[in-house]
Amino acid sequence: MPTLEVQDLHFSYQRQHPILTDLNFTVPTQSIYGFLGRNGAGKSTTIRNILGLLQPNRGSIQIFGEDMKQAKRPIFRRIGALIEAPSLYPNLSAQDHLRIACRYQAVDETRIPIVLKQVGLFDARTKPSRHYSTGMKQRLGLAMALLHEPDFLILDEPINGLDPQGISDVRELLLDLQQQGKTILLSSHLLSEIEKIASHVGIIKDGTLLFEGDQKALQNWKQEQQQLEISVSNPERAKELLPANTFVQQDRQRIIVQQLDEKAVAQLVRDLVKAELEVYEIKRLTSDLEQLFMEINQDIVS
């Protein structure tokens, strides 16, 4: 049984402007599921619906096999969440915040130094949070999510504001938690980080899922999306010389084929020339997937 199942999820603040449409995805147990999309794609809205902070217009959400519309307290005790930037009291330290959290979550305070060490805040545990950097605040939010030892972690952009070392530390922490048997839903717009850490990936754009699968399926999908455009004097004859199962389409002066490696391209050019065809141009096309990834990367620097 998967940890999370989202089926036919619809949500809108205004009926004419849907935020999520026909959203379906599944988070396998003990996976790190990378929920990838550019800023504004619907990631945070989806997470808020999953946690019951927003009510979907239609669809179902099940966690541990339980319908979240009827979920009771024991289900929520198995979930830890960090949604965007944590809300902190500026005059309280990390230690103070965790003491308060221990009281309302009925957790023993012996957990405090453990989670502070896990997230790398132990040495700054007595410093007021008003002196924390954005990255330190993210670490404290992660510590609060881990405090009650949840089985399922839902983390919305947890590496925002972290420096490269901080990102590496959080990556290692999440991999360690996965090894301990925890399931993690991790939203991000950083493709490179998702590829380093996630066992499974879902790509969302404009509130609709474009892709879902494990890392191998993602790499295969990326490869399938890559295409070459070959401008040639006789496209019909050129089509006959293509490697098997690579043809996509043709028109009057060009053919489009699946992406070939360098050796295959060189051999194809030799075959075309040997057949006395004139090769005018070979170029790689930008696929819809690559365009999406470029948009995601633009969000990194914007």
Side-chain angles (χ1 to χ4, degrees), residues 35 54 70 105 126 160 163 183 189 191 198 215 249 280 293 300-301:
F35 195 42
L54 294 172
Q70 302 168 345
Q105 294 184 31
T126 60
N160 271 1
D163 58 22
T183 304
H189 62 270
L191 172 63
Q215 280 283 5
Q249 69 181 64
Y280 305 125
F293 287 166
I300 297 173
V301 297

Side-chain angles (χ1 to χ4, degrees), residues 10-14 17-21 40-42 45-46 204 206-208:
H10 290 247
F11 177 82
S12 63
Y13 292 103
Q14 298 177 337
H17 303 287
I19 308 298
L20 306 175
T21 306
T45 300
T46 300
I204 185 174
D206 299 330
T208 301

Side-chain angles (χ1 to χ4, degrees), residues 32-98:
I32 298 179
Y33 188 101
F35 195 42
L36 178 67
R38 65 172 299 171
N39 293 335
K43 302 188 302 294
S44 295
T45 300
T46 300
I47 287 175
R48 291 176 184 276
N49 274 266
I50 291 170
L51 293 170
L53 300 175
L54 294 172
Q55 293 301 313
N57 304 113
R58 188 167 77 248
S60 68
I61 299 168
Q62 291 190 332
I63 299 181
F64 307 121
E66 299 282 343
D67 190 332
M68 291 305 286
K69 290 180 181 177
Q70 302 168 345
K72 297 180 173 58
R73 183 171 294 181
I75 292 295
F76 288 100
R77 287 191 60 82
R78 297 178 63 188
I79 302 170
L82 170 60
I83 305 175
E84 297 180 333
S87 298
L88 303 175
Y89 297 100
N91 294 324
L92 297 185
S93 66
Q95 199 165 247
D96 294 332
H97 280 92
L98 291 172

Side-chain angles (χ1 to χ4, degrees), residues 94-95 112-127 132:
Q95 199 165 247
I112 293 175
I114 295 172
V115 296
L116 285 173
K117 289 175 182 177
Q118 278 184 299
V119 302
L121 272 183
F122 186 78
D123 291 341
R125 63 191 181 278
T126 60
K127 182 187 294 185
Y132 283 7

